[in-house]
Amino acid sequence: MSDPKQLYAWKRFTLEESTHTLPNGVITNHITLEHPGAVLILPVANDGKLVLLKQYRPSIRRWIYEFPAGTLESSESPSVCAVRELAEEASLQAEEWHAIGESLPAPGFCNETQYLFVAKLLSHCEAEMDEDEVIEVVHFSVEEVTSMIANNKIQDSKTIVAFCRAQLLGLIT
C-alpha cells in the first residue's frame, strides 16, 4: 500500500487516495473516507421503553428515527463519547452501561467503526445540544420499534444493528 494522499479534509474527516495490492495480486487505486469512529447508544428507560431521537438529517433532507449517536472527539474513548452523546442528544445519564460490539456501516469506502452500547438506569441531566442538531426525544416500546423496523419507519442502519444485537444478547425484551 502506498502512503495515502489527502484529497480533502472537513472537520474530523478526510478523503484519502492510496494504491493497494489486493489479495488476488491486482493493484488498484482506492479512495477512503477516513473517519475517527462513532458511538451509538440504545437507551432503555426505567419503564422498559426505548429512547429514540426523531432527528432532521440535512444529508437526506428529512426526519428519521434513530438512537443517540455521535462522532468520537480527538483522543476520546468510545465509552466517554457514549456518555457525552447521551447527555448532549437526549439529556440523559445512565448508571448501567453494556458494550455490545462494533459495526462497520460502509466498509466499501469508509473506515468508520461504530461502537455500540446499551444504557440503562437512566436519569435526566442538563446538557447542551450541538447547534446544528434538530432533535425530538421520543419513547417507544420494544414491540413498537420492532414494528417500525419491519414497516420501514426506521431505516437507520446503526439503529437497526444495535436493536438486533441488544435483542440477541437479551438486553431488551
Side-chain angles (χ1 to χ4, degrees):
M1 182 175 100
S2 68
D3 288 336
K5 174 185 169 189
Q6 184 173 305
L7 303 175
Y8 185 77
W10 177 73
K11 292 187 178 184
R12 294 181 300 269
F13 310 100
T14 59
L15 202 56
E16 297 181 353
E17 182 178 29
S18 57
T19 302
H20 291 267
T21 301
L22 302 177
N24 63 0
V26 172
I27 298 172
T28 185
N29 285 335
H30 185 77
I31 295 176
T32 300
L33 175 60
E34 292 285 326
H35 192 292
V39 299
L40 176 127
I41 308 99
L42 189 163
V44 181
N46 298 336
D47 63 1
K49 289 192 173 184
L50 307 183
V51 179
L52 283 95
L53 308 177
K54 183 178 178 184
Q55 184 164 1
Y56 184 78
R57 291 295 191 175
S59 293
I60 57 172
R61 296 171 184 84
R62 61 188 172 101
W63 294 86
I64 64 170
Y65 290 104
E66 61 186 312
F67 290 124
T71 304
L72 292 165
E73 298 286 347
S74 180
S75 302
E76 184 178 44
S77 72
S79 58
V80 168
C81 182
V83 169
R84 176 179 56 77
E85 287 293 341
L86 183 62
E88 285 178 4
E89 293 193 342
S91 297
L92 293 171
Q93 58 190 7
E95 290 182 37
E96 184 180 318
W97 288 88
H98 301 271
I100 61 170
E102 300 169 9
S103 179
L104 303 172
F109 67 89
C110 181
N111 69 349
E112 177 184 9
T113 297
Q114 295 174 341
Y115 302 90
L116 310 175
F117 295 89
V118 171
K120 294 185 171 187
L121 301 176
L122 304 179
S123 60
H124 179 77
C125 70
E126 295 297 324
E128 261 190 58
M129 191 178 303
D130 292 339
E131 69 177 29
D132 64 345
E133 293 179 317
V134 181
I135 294 173
E136 178 186 342
V137 178
V138 292
H139 294 229
F140 294 105
S141 68
V142 171
E143 295 79 16
E144 289 170 316
V145 172
T146 300
S147 176
M148 292 169 77
I149 291 170
N151 294 313
N152 209 36
K153 290 186 179 170
I154 294 177
Q155 297 176 320
D156 179 62
S157 62
K158 67 188 178 303
T159 294
I160 295 168
V161 168
F163 179 80
C164 291
R165 187 157 303 152
Q167 276 195 316
L168 291 169
L169 295 171
L171 292 169
I172 57 174
T173 53

Short mmCIF file of all heavy atoms in Angstrom, two decimals, residues 90-158:
data_model
loop_
_atom_site.label_atom_id
_atom_site.label_comp_id
_atom_site.label_asym_id
_atom_site.label_seq_id
_atom_site.Cartn_x
_atom_site.Cartn_y
_atom_site.Cartn_z
N ALA A 90 -29.93 13.53 24.31
CA ALA A 90 -31.18 13.11 24.95
C ALA A 90 -31.33 13.66 26.37
O ALA A 90 -32.32 13.35 27.03
CB ALA A 90 -31.26 11.59 24.98
N SER A 91 -30.37 14.44 26.85
CA SER A 91 -30.37 14.97 28.22
C SER A 91 -30.54 13.84 29.24
O SER A 91 -31.29 13.95 30.20
CB SER A 91 -31.47 16.02 28.41
OG SER A 91 -31.24 17.13 27.57
N LEU A 92 -29.80 12.74 29.00
CA LEU A 92 -29.87 11.58 29.89
C LEU A 92 -28.48 11.15 30.33
O LEU A 92 -27.50 11.34 29.62
CB LEU A 92 -30.54 10.40 29.17
CG LEU A 92 -32.02 10.56 28.84
CD1 LEU A 92 -32.48 9.41 27.94
CD2 LEU A 92 -32.85 10.63 30.11
N GLN A 93 -28.45 10.55 31.52
CA GLN A 93 -27.25 9.87 32.01
C GLN A 93 -27.68 8.48 32.44
O GLN A 93 -28.86 8.25 32.72
CB GLN A 93 -26.59 10.64 33.15
CG GLN A 93 -27.49 10.87 34.34
CD GLN A 93 -26.88 11.84 35.34
OE1 GLN A 93 -25.84 12.44 35.09
NE2 GLN A 93 -27.54 12.00 36.47
N ALA A 94 -26.73 7.55 32.46
CA ALA A 94 -27.04 6.17 32.77
C ALA A 94 -26.11 5.64 33.86
O ALA A 94 -24.92 5.98 33.88
CB ALA A 94 -26.92 5.30 31.53
N GLU A 95 -26.65 4.81 34.74
CA GLU A 95 -25.83 4.16 35.76
C GLU A 95 -25.29 2.82 35.28
O GLU A 95 -24.31 2.33 35.83
CB GLU A 95 -26.66 3.95 37.04
CG GLU A 95 -26.99 5.22 37.77
CD GLU A 95 -27.78 4.95 39.04
OE1 GLU A 95 -27.51 3.95 39.72
OE2 GLU A 95 -28.68 5.75 39.33
N GLU A 96 -25.94 2.23 34.30
CA GLU A 96 -25.56 0.90 33.82
C GLU A 96 -25.27 0.96 32.32
O GLU A 96 -26.11 1.42 31.55
CB GLU A 96 -26.70 -0.09 34.11
CG GLU A 96 -26.41 -1.52 33.76
CD GLU A 96 -27.60 -2.42 34.08
OE1 GLU A 96 -28.23 -2.24 35.15
OE2 GLU A 96 -27.89 -3.30 33.25
N TRP A 97 -24.09 0.48 31.94
CA TRP A 97 -23.67 0.50 30.54
C TRP A 97 -23.25 -0.90 30.10
O TRP A 97 -22.59 -1.62 30.85
CB TRP A 97 -22.48 1.45 30.35
CG TRP A 97 -22.85 2.89 30.46
CD1 TRP A 97 -22.89 3.65 31.60
CD2 TRP A 97 -23.25 3.75 29.40
NE1 TRP A 97 -23.29 4.93 31.31
CE2 TRP A 97 -23.51 5.02 29.95
CE3 TRP A 97 -23.41 3.57 28.02
CZ2 TRP A 97 -23.92 6.09 29.18
CZ3 TRP A 97 -23.81 4.65 27.25
CH2 TRP A 97 -24.06 5.90 27.84
N HIS A 98 -23.63 -1.25 28.89
CA HIS A 98 -23.23 -2.53 28.29
C HIS A 98 -22.64 -2.23 26.91
O HIS A 98 -23.33 -1.69 26.04
CB HIS A 98 -24.43 -3.46 28.11
CG HIS A 98 -25.13 -3.77 29.39
ND1 HIS A 98 -24.78 -4.83 30.19
CD2 HIS A 98 -26.16 -3.14 30.01
CE1 HIS A 98 -25.57 -4.86 31.25
NE2 HIS A 98 -26.41 -3.84 31.17
N ALA A 99 -21.37 -2.60 26.70
CA ALA A 99 -20.78 -2.52 25.36
C ALA A 99 -21.24 -3.77 24.62
O ALA A 99 -21.08 -4.89 25.10
CB ALA A 99 -19.26 -2.48 25.45
N ILE A 100 -21.86 -3.57 23.44
CA ILE A 100 -22.45 -4.72 22.72
C ILE A 100 -21.80 -4.97 21.37
O ILE A 100 -22.37 -5.66 20.52
CB ILE A 100 -23.97 -4.60 22.61
CG1 ILE A 100 -24.39 -3.36 21.82
CG2 ILE A 100 -24.62 -4.61 24.00
CD1 ILE A 100 -25.88 -3.32 21.46
N GLY A 101 -20.62 -4.44 21.16
CA GLY A 101 -19.89 -4.75 19.94
C GLY A 101 -19.68 -3.56 19.04
O GLY A 101 -19.90 -2.41 19.44
N GLU A 102 -19.26 -3.86 17.83
CA GLU A 102 -18.93 -2.85 16.86
C GLU A 102 -19.64 -3.14 15.54
O GLU A 102 -19.99 -4.29 15.27
CB GLU A 102 -17.41 -2.83 16.62
CG GLU A 102 -16.63 -2.53 17.88
CD GLU A 102 -15.13 -2.77 17.72
OE1 GLU A 102 -14.68 -3.02 16.59
OE2 GLU A 102 -14.43 -2.70 18.74
N SER A 103 -19.80 -2.11 14.74
CA SER A 103 -20.43 -2.24 13.44
C SER A 103 -19.61 -1.44 12.42
O SER A 103 -19.04 -0.40 12.76
CB SER A 103 -21.86 -1.70 13.50
OG SER A 103 -22.49 -1.79 12.24
N LEU A 104 -19.56 -1.94 11.19
CA LEU A 104 -18.88 -1.26 10.09
C LEU A 104 -19.94 -0.82 9.08
O LEU A 104 -20.41 -1.63 8.30
CB LEU A 104 -17.87 -2.20 9.42
CG LEU A 104 -16.81 -2.79 10.34
CD1 LEU A 104 -16.00 -3.84 9.61
CD2 LEU A 104 -15.91 -1.70 10.90
N PRO A 105 -20.35 0.45 9.11
CA PRO A 105 -21.50 0.87 8.31
C PRO A 105 -21.28 0.95 6.80
O PRO A 105 -22.22 0.77 6.04
CB PRO A 105 -21.85 2.25 8.88
CG PRO A 105 -20.55 2.74 9.43
CD PRO A 105 -19.83 1.52 9.95
N ALA A 106 -20.07 1.24 6.36
CA ALA A 106 -19.85 1.42 4.92
C ALA A 106 -18.42 1.04 4.55
O ALA A 106 -17.65 1.87 4.06
CB ALA A 106 -20.15 2.86 4.53
N PRO A 107 -18.01 -0.23 4.77
CA PRO A 107 -16.61 -0.60 4.58
C PRO A 107 -16.12 -0.56 3.15
O PRO A 107 -14.92 -0.68 2.91
CB PRO A 107 -16.55 -2.02 5.15
CG PRO A 107 -17.93 -2.54 5.04
CD PRO A 107 -18.82 -1.35 5.23
N GLY A 108 -17.00 -0.36 2.18
CA GLY A 108 -16.57 -0.24 0.80
C GLY A 108 -15.83 1.05 0.50
O GLY A 108 -15.03 1.11 -0.43
N PHE A 109 -16.07 2.09 1.30
CA PHE A 109 -15.43 3.38 1.03
C PHE A 109 -15.06 4.16 2.29
O PHE A 109 -14.46 5.23 2.20
CB PHE A 109 -16.32 4.26 0.14
CG PHE A 109 -17.59 4.72 0.81
CD1 PHE A 109 -17.63 5.88 1.55
CD2 PHE A 109 -18.74 3.96 0.70
CE1 PHE A 109 -18.79 6.30 2.18
CE2 PHE A 109 -19.91 4.37 1.32
CZ PHE A 109 -19.94 5.53 2.05
N CYS A 110 -15.40 3.64 3.47
CA CYS A 110 -15.19 4.38 4.71
C CYS A 110 -14.65 3.44 5.79
O CYS A 110 -15.13 2.31 5.92
CB CYS A 110 -16.52 5.00 5.16
SG CYS A 110 -16.42 5.99 6.66
N ASN A 111 -13.68 3.90 6.57
CA ASN A 111 -13.10 3.05 7.62
C ASN A 111 -13.75 3.27 8.99
O ASN A 111 -13.22 2.83 10.01
CB ASN A 111 -11.59 3.25 7.70
CG ASN A 111 -11.20 4.62 8.23
OD1 ASN A 111 -12.02 5.52 8.37
ND2 ASN A 111 -9.92 4.79 8.51
N GLU A 112 -14.93 3.87 9.04
CA GLU A 112 -15.61 4.13 10.30
C GLU A 112 -15.95 2.83 11.04
O GLU A 112 -16.47 1.89 10.46
CB GLU A 112 -16.92 4.89 10.06
CG GLU A 112 -17.73 5.13 11.34
CD GLU A 112 -19.06 5.80 11.08
OE1 GLU A 112 -19.46 5.95 9.91
OE2 GLU A 112 -19.71 6.19 12.07
N THR A 113 -15.66 2.82 12.33
CA THR A 113 -16.13 1.79 13.24
C THR A 113 -17.12 2.45 14.18
O THR A 113 -16.83 3.51 14.75
CB THR A 113 -14.98 1.17 14.05
OG1 THR A 113 -14.07 0.53 13.14
CG2 THR A 113 -15.49 0.16 15.06
N GLN A 114 -18.29 1.85 14.33
CA GLN A 114 -19.29 2.34 15.27
C GLN A 114 -19.29 1.42 16.49
O GLN A 114 -19.43 0.20 16.35
CB GLN A 114 -20.67 2.37 14.63
CG GLN A 114 -20.76 3.34 13.48
CD GLN A 114 -22.08 3.26 12.74
OE1 GLN A 114 -22.81 2.29 12.81
NE2 GLN A 114 -22.38 4.32 11.99
N TYR A 115 -19.12 2.00 17.67
CA TYR A 115 -19.10 1.26 18.92
C TYR A 115 -20.50 1.34 19.52
O TYR A 115 -21.04 2.43 19.72
CB TYR A 115 -18.06 1.86 19.87
CG TYR A 115 -16.67 1.84 19.26
CD1 TYR A 115 -16.21 2.91 18.50
CD2 TYR A 115 -15.85 0.73 19.41
CE1 TYR A 115 -14.96 2.90 17.91
CE2 TYR A 115 -14.59 0.69 18.82
CZ TYR A 115 -14.16 1.78 18.08
OH TYR A 115 -12.92 1.75 17.48
N LEU A 116 -21.09 0.18 19.80
CA LEU A 116 -22.49 0.10 20.21
C LEU A 116 -22.61 -0.15 21.71
O LEU A 116 -21.89 -0.99 22.27
CB LEU A 116 -23.18 -1.03 19.44
CG LEU A 116 -22.98 -1.03 17.92
CD1 LEU A 116 -23.62 -2.27 17.31
CD2 LEU A 116 -23.52 0.24 17.30
N PHE A 117 -23.55 0.57 22.34
CA PHE A 117 -23.78 0.46 23.77
C PHE A 117 -25.27 0.39 24.07
O PHE A 117 -26.09 0.96 23.34
CB PHE A 117 -23.23 1.71 24.51
CG PHE A 117 -21.74 1.86 24.43
CD1 PHE A 117 -21.16 2.55 23.38
CD2 PHE A 117 -20.93 1.32 25.41
CE1 PHE A 117 -19.79 2.70 23.30
CE2 PHE A 117 -19.55 1.47 25.34
CZ PHE A 117 -18.97 2.16 24.28
N VAL A 118 -25.60 -0.29 25.17
CA VAL A 118 -26.93 -0.21 25.76
C VAL A 118 -26.76 0.53 27.08
O VAL A 118 -25.85 0.21 27.85
CB VAL A 118 -27.55 -1.61 25.98
CG1 VAL A 118 -28.84 -1.52 26.79
CG2 VAL A 118 -27.81 -2.31 24.65
N ALA A 119 -27.62 1.51 27.33
CA ALA A 119 -27.59 2.30 28.56
C ALA A 119 -28.88 2.07 29.32
O ALA A 119 -29.97 2.15 28.75
CB ALA A 119 -27.42 3.78 28.24
N LYS A 120 -28.75 1.75 30.63
CA LYS A 120 -29.92 1.50 31.48
C LYS A 120 -29.80 2.31 32.76
O LYS A 120 -28.77 2.90 33.06
CB LYS A 120 -30.03 0.01 31.79
CG LYS A 120 -30.32 -0.85 30.58
CD LYS A 120 -30.53 -2.30 30.99
CE LYS A 120 -31.04 -3.13 29.82
NZ LYS A 120 -31.40 -4.48 30.25
N LEU A 121 -30.88 2.26 33.55
CA LEU A 121 -30.98 3.03 34.80
C LEU A 121 -30.73 4.51 34.49
O LEU A 121 -29.78 5.13 34.96
CB LEU A 121 -30.02 2.50 35.86
CG LEU A 121 -30.21 1.03 36.26
CD1 LEU A 121 -29.14 0.59 37.24
CD2 LEU A 121 -31.61 0.79 36.82
N LEU A 122 -31.62 5.05 33.68
CA LEU A 122 -31.48 6.41 33.17
C LEU A 122 -32.04 7.46 34.12
O LEU A 122 -33.00 7.20 34.85
CB LEU A 122 -32.22 6.53 31.83
CG LEU A 122 -31.83 5.55 30.73
CD1 LEU A 122 -32.67 5.80 29.48
CD2 LEU A 122 -30.34 5.63 30.40
N SER A 123 -31.45 8.62 34.06
CA SER A 123 -31.99 9.79 34.76
C SER A 123 -31.69 11.03 33.92
O SER A 123 -30.79 11.03 33.08
CB SER A 123 -31.40 9.92 36.17
OG SER A 123 -30.00 10.05 36.12
N HIS A 124 -32.46 12.07 34.17
CA HIS A 124 -32.32 13.32 33.43
C HIS A 124 -31.04 14.03 33.85
O HIS A 124 -30.62 13.98 35.00
CB HIS A 124 -33.53 14.22 33.69
CG HIS A 124 -33.46 15.53 32.99
ND1 HIS A 124 -33.72 15.66 31.64
CD2 HIS A 124 -33.11 16.76 33.44
CE1 HIS A 124 -33.55 16.92 31.29
NE2 HIS A 124 -33.18 17.60 32.36
N CYS A 125 -30.42 14.71 32.90
CA CYS A 125 -29.27 15.57 33.20
C CYS A 125 -29.34 16.79 32.30
O CYS A 125 -30.04 16.80 31.29
CB CYS A 125 -27.94 14.83 33.01
SG CYS A 125 -27.54 14.45 31.30
N GLU A 126 -28.63 17.81 32.67
CA GLU A 126 -28.57 19.03 31.86
C GLU A 126 -27.38 18.93 30.92
O GLU A 126 -26.28 18.59 31.32
CB GLU A 126 -28.41 20.26 32.77
CG GLU A 126 -29.59 20.52 33.67
CD GLU A 126 -30.88 20.83 32.92
OE1 GLU A 126 -30.81 21.48 31.85
OE2 GLU A 126 -31.94 20.39 33.39
N ALA A 127 -27.63 19.24 29.66
CA ALA A 127 -26.56 19.25 28.67
C ALA A 127 -27.00 20.11 27.50
O ALA A 127 -28.20 20.31 27.29
CB ALA A 127 -26.24 17.84 28.21
N GLU A 128 -26.03 20.59 26.74
CA GLU A 128 -26.33 21.43 25.59
C GLU A 128 -26.19 20.63 24.31
O GLU A 128 -25.16 20.01 24.07
CB GLU A 128 -25.40 22.63 25.55
CG GLU A 128 -26.04 23.87 26.11
CD GLU A 128 -25.19 25.10 25.84
OE1 GLU A 128 -24.90 25.40 24.67
OE2 GLU A 128 -24.85 25.75 26.83
N MET A 129 -27.23 20.68 23.50
CA MET A 129 -27.21 20.03 22.20
C MET A 129 -26.36 20.87 21.24
O MET A 129 -26.28 22.09 21.38
CB MET A 129 -28.66 19.94 21.68
CG MET A 129 -28.85 19.07 20.48
SD MET A 129 -30.59 19.00 20.00
CE MET A 129 -31.37 18.42 21.50
N ASP A 130 -25.72 20.20 20.28
CA ASP A 130 -25.00 20.94 19.25
C ASP A 130 -25.97 21.82 18.49
O ASP A 130 -27.11 21.44 18.24
CB ASP A 130 -24.31 19.97 18.28
CG ASP A 130 -23.17 19.20 18.93
OD1 ASP A 130 -22.64 19.67 19.97
OD2 ASP A 130 -22.80 18.15 18.40
N GLU A 131 -25.53 23.00 18.07
CA GLU A 131 -26.44 23.97 17.43
C GLU A 131 -26.95 23.49 16.08
O GLU A 131 -28.00 23.95 15.62
CB GLU A 131 -25.77 25.33 17.30
CG GLU A 131 -24.63 25.37 16.31
CD GLU A 131 -24.04 26.76 16.17
OE1 GLU A 131 -24.08 27.54 17.13
OE2 GLU A 131 -23.54 27.05 15.06
N ASP A 132 -26.25 22.57 15.44
CA ASP A 132 -26.70 22.09 14.13
C ASP A 132 -27.56 20.83 14.21
O ASP A 132 -27.83 20.19 13.21
CB ASP A 132 -25.51 21.86 13.19
CG ASP A 132 -24.59 20.75 13.67
OD1 ASP A 132 -24.68 20.34 14.84
OD2 ASP A 132 -23.76 20.30 12.86
N GLU A 133 -28.03 20.49 15.41
CA GLU A 133 -28.88 19.32 15.59
C GLU A 133 -30.31 19.75 15.91
O GLU A 133 -30.54 20.60 16.77
CB GLU A 133 -28.35 18.42 16.71
CG GLU A 133 -27.02 17.79 16.37
CD GLU A 133 -26.46 16.91 17.46
OE1 GLU A 133 -26.52 17.31 18.65
OE2 GLU A 133 -25.96 15.84 17.13
N VAL A 134 -31.26 19.15 15.20
CA VAL A 134 -32.68 19.39 15.45
C VAL A 134 -33.25 18.04 15.85
O VAL A 134 -33.38 17.13 15.03
CB VAL A 134 -33.39 19.94 14.19
CG1 VAL A 134 -34.86 20.19 14.49
CG2 VAL A 134 -32.70 21.20 13.69
N ILE A 135 -33.57 17.91 17.14
CA ILE A 135 -33.89 16.61 17.71
C ILE A 135 -35.12 16.69 18.60
O ILE A 135 -35.27 17.63 19.38
CB ILE A 135 -32.70 16.09 18.57
CG1 ILE A 135 -31.48 15.80 17.68
CG2 ILE A 135 -33.09 14.86 19.38
CD1 ILE A 135 -30.23 15.45 18.45
N GLU A 136 -35.97 15.68 18.50
CA GLU A 136 -37.07 15.46 19.43
C GLU A 136 -36.86 14.08 20.06
O GLU A 136 -36.68 13.09 19.35
CB GLU A 136 -38.41 15.48 18.68
CG GLU A 136 -39.61 15.21 19.55
CD GLU A 136 -40.89 15.11 18.74
OE1 GLU A 136 -40.93 15.56 17.58
OE2 GLU A 136 -41.86 14.54 19.28
N VAL A 137 -36.85 14.01 21.38
CA VAL A 137 -36.68 12.74 22.09
C VAL A 137 -38.03 12.06 22.20
O VAL A 137 -39.01 12.68 22.64
CB VAL A 137 -36.06 12.97 23.49
CG1 VAL A 137 -35.93 11.65 24.25
CG2 VAL A 137 -34.70 13.66 23.37
N VAL A 138 -38.09 10.79 21.80
CA VAL A 138 -39.34 10.02 21.81
C VAL A 138 -39.09 8.65 22.44
O VAL A 138 -37.96 8.16 22.45
CB VAL A 138 -39.92 9.87 20.38
CG1 VAL A 138 -40.40 11.20 19.84
CG2 VAL A 138 -38.92 9.24 19.43
N HIS A 139 -40.16 8.07 22.98
CA HIS A 139 -40.08 6.75 23.63
C HIS A 139 -41.02 5.78 22.93
O HIS A 139 -42.17 6.13 22.65
CB HIS A 139 -40.47 6.85 25.10
CG HIS A 139 -39.53 7.66 25.93
ND1 HIS A 139 -39.02 7.21 27.12
CD2 HIS A 139 -38.97 8.89 25.74
CE1 HIS A 139 -38.22 8.13 27.64
NE2 HIS A 139 -38.18 9.15 26.82
N PHE A 140 -40.52 4.57 22.68
CA PHE A 140 -41.33 3.52 22.07
C PHE A 140 -41.05 2.20 22.77
O PHE A 140 -39.93 1.96 23.23
CB PHE A 140 -41.00 3.35 20.58
CG PHE A 140 -41.35 4.52 19.72
CD1 PHE A 140 -40.36 5.37 19.25
CD2 PHE A 140 -42.66 4.77 19.35
CE1 PHE A 140 -40.67 6.46 18.44
CE2 PHE A 140 -42.98 5.85 18.55
CZ PHE A 140 -41.98 6.70 18.09
N SER A 141 -42.05 1.34 22.82
CA SER A 141 -41.85 0.01 23.37
C SER A 141 -41.01 -0.82 22.41
O SER A 141 -40.88 -0.47 21.22
CB SER A 141 -43.20 -0.68 23.60
OG SER A 141 -43.81 -0.98 22.34
N VAL A 142 -40.45 -1.91 22.89
CA VAL A 142 -39.68 -2.82 22.03
C VAL A 142 -40.57 -3.30 20.88
O VAL A 142 -40.13 -3.37 19.73
CB VAL A 142 -39.12 -4.00 22.85
CG1 VAL A 142 -38.50 -5.06 21.95
CG2 VAL A 142 -38.09 -3.49 23.86
N GLU A 143 -41.83 -3.61 21.19
CA GLU A 143 -42.76 -4.08 20.14
C GLU A 143 -42.99 -2.99 19.09
O GLU A 143 -43.05 -3.28 17.90
CB GLU A 143 -44.10 -4.50 20.77
CG GLU A 143 -44.01 -5.71 21.67
CD GLU A 143 -43.47 -5.39 23.09
OE1 GLU A 143 -43.44 -4.20 23.51
OE2 GLU A 143 -43.03 -6.34 23.76
N GLU A 144 -43.12 -1.75 19.53
CA GLU A 144 -43.31 -0.65 18.58
C GLU A 144 -42.08 -0.48 17.68
O GLU A 144 -42.21 -0.28 16.47
CB GLU A 144 -43.63 0.66 19.32
CG GLU A 144 -45.01 0.68 19.94
CD GLU A 144 -45.22 1.87 20.86
OE1 GLU A 144 -44.31 2.20 21.66
OE2 GLU A 144 -46.30 2.49 20.77
N VAL A 145 -40.89 -0.57 18.27
CA VAL A 145 -39.67 -0.43 17.47
C VAL A 145 -39.55 -1.60 16.49
O VAL A 145 -39.19 -1.40 15.32
CB VAL A 145 -38.42 -0.31 18.37
CG1 VAL A 145 -37.14 -0.36 17.55
CG2 VAL A 145 -38.48 0.98 19.19
N THR A 146 -39.87 -2.79 16.93
CA THR A 146 -39.86 -3.96 16.04
C THR A 146 -40.77 -3.70 14.84
O THR A 146 -40.38 -3.93 13.69
CB THR A 146 -40.31 -5.23 16.79
OG1 THR A 146 -39.42 -5.47 17.87
CG2 THR A 146 -40.34 -6.44 15.87
N SER A 147 -41.97 -3.22 15.09
CA SER A 147 -42.93 -2.92 14.03
C SER A 147 -42.41 -1.80 13.12
O SER A 147 -42.56 -1.86 11.89
CB SER A 147 -44.28 -2.54 14.63
OG SER A 147 -45.19 -2.16 13.62
N MET A 148 -41.80 -0.77 13.71
CA MET A 148 -41.28 0.35 12.92
C MET A 148 -40.15 -0.11 11.99
O MET A 148 -40.05 0.36 10.86
CB MET A 148 -40.80 1.47 13.86
CG MET A 148 -41.94 2.15 14.61
SD MET A 148 -41.35 3.23 15.93
CE MET A 148 -40.79 4.65 14.98
N ILE A 149 -39.32 -1.03 12.47
CA ILE A 149 -38.26 -1.58 11.61
C ILE A 149 -38.89 -2.41 10.50
O ILE A 149 -38.55 -2.25 9.32
CB ILE A 149 -37.25 -2.40 12.43
CG1 ILE A 149 -36.43 -1.46 13.35
CG2 ILE A 149 -36.32 -3.19 11.51
CD1 ILE A 149 -35.57 -2.19 14.38
N ALA A 150 -39.81 -3.29 10.86
CA ALA A 150 -40.46 -4.17 9.87
C ALA A 150 -41.22 -3.38 8.82
O ALA A 150 -41.26 -3.77 7.65
CB ALA A 150 -41.40 -5.15 10.58
N ASN A 151 -41.80 -2.25 9.20
CA ASN A 151 -42.59 -1.43 8.29
C ASN A 151 -41.81 -0.28 7.64
O ASN A 151 -42.40 0.63 7.08
CB ASN A 151 -43.83 -0.89 9.01
CG ASN A 151 -44.78 -1.99 9.40
OD1 ASN A 151 -45.09 -2.85 8.57
ND2 ASN A 151 -45.23 -1.99 10.64
N ASN A 152 -40.49 -0.33 7.77
CA ASN A 152 -39.60 0.64 7.12
C ASN A 152 -39.74 2.06 7.67
O ASN A 152 -39.37 3.03 7.00
CB ASN A 152 -39.81 0.63 5.60
CG ASN A 152 -38.57 1.02 4.84
OD1 ASN A 152 -37.46 0.69 5.25
ND2 ASN A 152 -38.74 1.73 3.75
N LYS A 153 -40.28 2.21 8.88
CA LYS A 153 -40.35 3.53 9.51
C LYS A 153 -39.03 3.88 10.19
O LYS A 153 -38.75 5.05 10.43
CB LYS A 153 -41.51 3.60 10.49
CG LYS A 153 -42.85 3.58 9.78
CD LYS A 153 -43.99 3.78 10.73
CE LYS A 153 -45.30 3.78 9.94
NZ LYS A 153 -46.45 3.75 10.79
N ILE A 154 -38.25 2.85 10.53
CA ILE A 154 -36.88 3.05 10.99
C ILE A 154 -35.99 2.46 9.90
O ILE A 154 -36.05 1.26 9.62
CB ILE A 154 -36.61 2.37 12.35
CG1 ILE A 154 -37.42 3.05 13.45
CG2 ILE A 154 -35.11 2.43 12.67
CD1 ILE A 154 -37.28 2.43 14.82
N GLN A 155 -35.17 3.32 9.29
CA GLN A 155 -34.30 2.91 8.20
C GLN A 155 -32.82 3.05 8.55
O GLN A 155 -31.96 2.57 7.81
CB GLN A 155 -34.59 3.73 6.94
CG GLN A 155 -35.98 3.53 6.41
CD GLN A 155 -36.26 4.44 5.22
OE1 GLN A 155 -35.86 5.60 5.21
NE2 GLN A 155 -36.93 3.90 4.23
N ASP A 156 -32.52 3.71 9.63
CA ASP A 156 -31.15 3.97 10.03
C ASP A 156 -30.45 2.66 10.38
O ASP A 156 -30.84 1.97 11.32
CB ASP A 156 -31.15 4.94 11.22
CG ASP A 156 -29.76 5.24 11.70
OD1 ASP A 156 -28.97 5.79 10.92
OD2 ASP A 156 -29.45 4.89 12.86
N SER A 157 -29.41 2.33 9.63
CA SER A 157 -28.78 1.01 9.79
C SER A 157 -28.13 0.82 11.15
O SER A 157 -28.23 -0.27 11.73
CB SER A 157 -27.76 0.77 8.68
OG SER A 157 -26.73 1.72 8.72
N LYS A 158 -27.50 1.85 11.71
CA LYS A 158 -26.86 1.67 13.02
C LYS A 158 -27.89 1.41 14.11
O LYS A 158 -27.65 0.63 15.03
CB LYS A 158 -25.95 2.86 13.35
CG LYS A 158 -26.65 4.18 13.58
CD LYS A 158 -25.64 5.32 13.71
CE LYS A 158 -26.31 6.66 13.90
NZ LYS A 158 -27.27 7.02 12.84
#
